[in-house]
Amino acid sequence: MLKRVHFPTSVLPYLLVAPQILVTLIFFIWPASQAMYQSMRIEDAFGLSTEFVWFENFQILAEDKQYFETFWRTIIFSACVAFISMSVALFLAGFADRVVRGAMAYRTMLIWPYAVAPVLAGALWVFMFNPTLGIFPYLLEFVGYDWNHYLNGHQAMLLVILAAAWKQVAYNFLFYLAAMQSIPKSVIEASAIDGAGPVRRFRTIILPLVSPTTFFLLVINAVYAFFDTFGIIHAVTQGGPAGATTILVYKVYNDGFVGLDLGGSAAQSVILMILVISMTVIQFRYVEKKVDY
Amino acid sequence: MATINLDQLTKSYGPDEVLHHISGDINDSEFVVIVGPSGCGKSTLLRMIAGLETVTSGEISIGGKIVNEIEPADRDIAMVFQNYALYPHMSVRENMAYGLKIRKTPKDEITRRVNEAADILEIREYLDRKPRQLSGGQRQRVAMGRAIVRDPQVFLFDEPLSNLDAKLRVQMRLEIRKLQKRLGVTSIYVTHDQVEAMTLGDRLMVLNAGYVEQFDTPIELYERPASMFVAGFIGSPAMNFLTATGGDGLVILDNGTALPTRLSTSGPVIAGIRPEHLIAEPEGVLPVRVEMLEQLGANTLVHGVLDGSDIPIVASVTGIQSLPVNDVVRFTPGPDALHLFDANTERRLS
Ligand SMILES: Nc1ncnc2c1ncn2[C@@H]1O[C@H](COP(=O)(O)OP(=O)(O)OP(=O)(O)O)[C@@H](O)[C@H]1O
Ligand SMILES: [Mg+2]
């Protein structure tokens, strides 16, 4: 005989989950559905009337050369940010892992940048690289290099990449350090006895053994570069000069709030939403499984 | 193959000195076991020889060359770790070939040596597996294999068998012994298991709290322990110690019993008698009140106290014996069974 347990119906469980559901509804579901609804409407130039147009906004985007340029730029930007911040973090973690004396002090200092708000981080870099006031343009002048990221699009791109990567180094560093410290010390010692020098040990033992972390961070950094760098770009270049540092999220803001093309902007944010959902799926599907070694 | 010389070796961690003036010479092809209780500094000493720990003072020489400042890679040693320390991302074959590849050994030479070692250790069929696909005993063999393919001057073992079950441990112990004799590589083996130490070592270095208590052959350690520590550590069950007063050709136990000895001593001494050297006799000089029996099949351990005192005595008698508890059984030490130690220094009186 199957035994069934009956609980008396009560409102308590519903009450307990209500706040979470409310937050999700107000801050996630509602704006998302608004964006989706908005993405299918076009407003006239004076904002007096709107028209429901199904997928016309998306069609316009698909034919927009500028949008594809932005897409491509975002991919380059993200790849550079992920590569720079991860390799710097790996390098630093490799050394911090070997430090014996004062290890805590180093680690604390390396983790600090993570606590800095994106806009403040941006402001910091703006000051350091200000063509007239900044210390770096001043120093670069000595080697005969003219720095002005207000005019030069490549320099502007380089600057936002550096600022965004710098901010993410701390996060990557933490994960790499933890991964390295979970490698048994005797494995490293065994390879030292086998004749491997520090560089070779790093390349043949440590690097392969932290590869699950590398894969995890790759996804995290891509998501970060795609979506969380708005504050830095807004503070450093405002997407300029001439759109040279406008990445997808920045274009959403720019087209919507500056250009007031609400429909087009909403369509872009729907595309971004699909992107972030698919990245999250990748992360859950593959990262949770350990990389096989 | 090489000799190893330790000269006044000292190790400190900050203000704590954990190894004190360790000296000893290890001959070519010799199998030396470093044995002692947990925390006495065995691993530290071995890791200093490997070059994984710095030397605070003193000298280590391998093959006549001082190696204090030489990197582990350049000491021509191989080490087997307690947790095996296999490279988890490499196959068994790659694990064994790693050190050879670094030393730029030709490819066919690597293949030949890996296969040869795999044959010796009977791990041929696992060569393409990853370490996590192996059992503990198989991993242990791979760790051994990684050491022998390198054909080093010295093998270092840090408790390589302590993660195996009792039966496998006995089997691997014999194999390690055979392998070492066959290859003739000078070896140092760390263990806290005195049976392992006695069966494996040509000579044993007994460490206690960072001091060398005695460095000698197993038989010598058993027959002429240099200190009460060695006497108590080597042999199972442990030696009985009785306080006594020295005399001319005899010692007088606290209960008045006089035991004959070839030595003439005076003042307080400690008399040591191994349980297996106590012979039950109706007119024996040591009356023991039986408290408990342990039947081991081949012999029986009699736990009791010296009658009229609370000094514990253990005797090992052959065969299965059933003695009534609380009865008094009389024992006599066999000839030459008495070990005498200074009551203050705890060193052997000889
Ligand atoms: N890094 C270290 N810093 C300070 N003290 C240490 C360090 N490593 C070891 N010690 C101390 O040195 C002593 C010897 O340690 P060691 O590991 O050599 O013991 P052991 O004889 O191998 O013991 P076991 O049988 O438990 O492995 C211990 O008292 C230990 O606390
Ligand atoms: Mg140890």
Side-chain angles (χ1 to χ4, degrees), chain B residues 13 16 18 36-45 53 82 158-159 190-192 207:
Chain B
Y13 288 110
D16 309 327
V18 297
S38 187
C40 68
K42 308 179 294 287
S43 298
T44 306
L45 179 56
E53 297 279 353
Q82 179 172 359
D158 191 356
E159 308 205 21
V190 161
T191 180
H192 60 256
L207 278 191

Side-chain angles (χ1 to χ4, degrees), chain B residues 91-331:
Chain B
S91 67
V92 169
R93 189 191 305 278
E94 289 165 332
N95 260 283
M96 301 207 319
Y98 184 77
L100 295 174
K101 253 188 227 157
I102 290 173
R103 288 183 165 73
K104 304 222 157 47
T105 315
K107 259 224 167 74
D108 45 342
E109 170 81 4
I110 294 181
T111 315
R112 193 181 60 72
R113 274 158 75 167
V114 168
N115 287 341
E116 196 180 273
D119 284 341
I120 294 175
L121 294 163
E122 294 166 18
I123 48 173
R124 192 90 193 225
E125 62 226 84
Y126 314 122
L127 278 179
D128 292 311
R129 292 211 199 157
K130 294 277 169 64
R132 69 185 149 80
Q133 298 165 312
L134 299 176
S135 74
Q138 290 160 349
R139 282 180 212 184
Q140 213 284 325
R141 281 163 199 270
V142 176
M144 294 279 301
R146 193 170 62 179
I148 65 177
V149 287
R150 290 252 322 276
D151 193 19
Q153 293 205 45
V154 176
F155 284 149
L156 303 174
F157 301 89
D158 191 356
E159 308 205 21
L161 304 184
S162 57
N163 288 346
L164 304 180
D165 68 56
K167 195 167 160 221
L168 199 54
R169 201 147 60 205
V170 173
Q171 183 195 340
M172 283 308 291
R173 193 167 81 199
L174 288 172
E175 287 189 26
I176 289 178
R177 176 76 185 159
K178 273 196 287 189
L179 198 63
Q180 195 271 341
K181 284 291 154 246
R182 171 172 164 184
L183 301 172
V185 177
T186 313
S187 302
I188 305 182
Y189 187 106
V190 161
T191 180
H192 60 256
D193 180 340
Q194 52 112 354
V195 178
E196 215 169 280
M198 295 289 277
T199 51
L200 276 174
D202 293 324
R203 281 193 298 157
L204 272 52
M205 179 182 274
V206 184
L207 278 191
N208 178 27
Y211 291 97
V212 177
E213 291 275 340
Q214 193 170 2
F215 184 24
D216 224 321
T217 60
I219 301 300
E220 193 69 10
L221 288 180
Y222 182 79
E223 292 188 333
R224 295 180 56 78
S227 65
M228 277 177 69
F229 176 83
V230 178
F233 191 76
I234 302 292
S236 170
M239 187 184 274
N240 298 300
F241 292 114
L242 306 164
T243 51
T245 313
D248 201 6
L250 51 80
V251 290
I252 298 151
L253 298 186
D254 287 356
N255 70 345
T257 312
L259 298 174
T261 161
R262 271 183 290 202
L263 294 175
S264 293
T265 52
S266 61
V269 294
I270 308 279
I273 309 165
R274 295 199 182 276
E276 56 273 32
H277 294 159
L278 285 172
I279 301 159
E281 280 182 346
E283 60 281 6
V285 290
L286 288 174
V288 174
R289 184 169 295 280
V290 178
E291 288 185 329
M292 195 185 73
L293 295 178
E294 276 184 304
Q295 304 284 3
L296 300 178
N299 50 356
T300 302
L301 299 184
V302 182
H303 295 264
V305 291
L306 203 56
D307 195 27
S309 74
D310 51 6
I311 300 164
I313 297 267
V314 181
S316 172
V317 289
T318 49
I320 296 169
Q321 309 277 344
S322 47
L323 302 168
V325 166
N326 259 334
D327 258 24
V328 172
V329 183
R330 304 187 77 87
F331 289 95

Side-chain angles (χ1 to χ4, degrees), chain B residues 35-87:
Chain B
V35 63
S38 187
C40 68
K42 308 179 294 287
S43 298
T44 306
L45 179 56
L46 193 77
R47 293 167 55 80
M48 283 165 82
I49 297 169
L52 299 173
E53 297 279 353
T54 55
V55 173
T56 307
S57 73
E59 272 171 9
I60 304 172
S61 329
I62 298 177
K65 200 172 77 180
I66 295 172
V67 295
N68 283 25
E69 300 301 325
I70 294 180
E71 287 293 314
D74 303 323
R75 294 190 183 195
D76 203 7
I77 50 167
M79 185 158 168
V80 179
F81 292 82
Q82 179 172 359
N83 61 2
Y84 316 135
L86 300 176
Y87 310 127

